[in-house]
Amino acid sequence: ATLEGDRLVADRETRPPVTDSTRLELFFAPLRKKRCSLLLEKATELGATRLAPVRTTRTEAASIAALKAGPHAAVVEAAEQSERLDAPEVEALRPCDDLATDLPLFVCAERAGKAPHLFDAVKAAGGLGAAVLVGPEGGLAEE
């Protein structure tokens, strides 16, 4: 690097630009504070490009309060830890009915019986990306 006036100019690129265009959107029901931070941290480390909390009929008020308490630091720290040059933004809480995406949506329902492995389902959908909905503790309501 060389000093030009009051700027430091790099002589060479030390890290290649991010070129992966695969998108992974995570829609999730808020969890209690420590679990919510862990979910956001791991989703960021795994490459999530969108983190969108959704309110379901079984979402607890304490979980919503924990989300408002600022789990965003977990996202920034996870991006730094995994050497990502970008960090997904944690969107505002929205009703589950307002969920919108242009990607194939996969719903993780623990009581749905036998389901394909998520990786296989995404691959079959074209492999360009996926949106995943994860329900609250106790699962999603039947409605």
Side-chain angles (χ1 to χ4, degrees):
T2 58
L3 189 60
E4 294 181 6
D6 61 347
R7 297 181 323 159
L8 186 64
V9 179
D11 295 333
R12 60 185 163 81
E13 188 176 307
T14 58
R15 182 178 297 185
V18 177
T19 58
D20 187 10
S21 60
T22 304
R23 294 170 31 215
L24 176 60
E25 298 178 352
L26 178 63
F27 296 93
F28 63 95
L31 303 168
R32 293 185 192 116
K33 186 171 174 64
K34 288 184 180 180
R35 290 183 179 178
C36 191
S37 290
L38 181 65
L39 176 126
L40 295 172
E41 174 187 325
K42 296 307 172 190
T44 301
E45 289 174 354
L46 291 170
T49 55
R50 180 180 180 191
L51 300 170
V54 294
R55 183 183 301 116
T56 67
T57 55
R58 293 187 178 155
T59 300
E60 298 176 1
S63 299
I64 294 172
L67 185 65
K68 291 178 181 175
H72 312 292
V75 171
V76 173
E77 290 172 13
E80 291 172 357
Q81 180 67 26
S82 59
E83 298 184 358
R84 282 183 66 168
L85 298 177
D86 62 336
E89 182 179 340
V90 180
E91 296 180 2
L93 182 68
R94 71 181 73 205
C96 194
D97 295 341
D98 290 348
L99 189 144
T101 182
D102 60 344
L103 294 173
L105 176 65
F106 299 94
V107 178
C108 296
E110 64 183 81
R111 294 175 183 89
K114 187 170 179 157
H117 190 279
L118 183 58
F119 178 77
D120 295 331
V122 171
K123 191 173 167 184
L128 298 175
V132 179
L133 170 62
V134 180
E137 297 175 55
L140 294 165
E142 292 295 321
E143 324 157 340

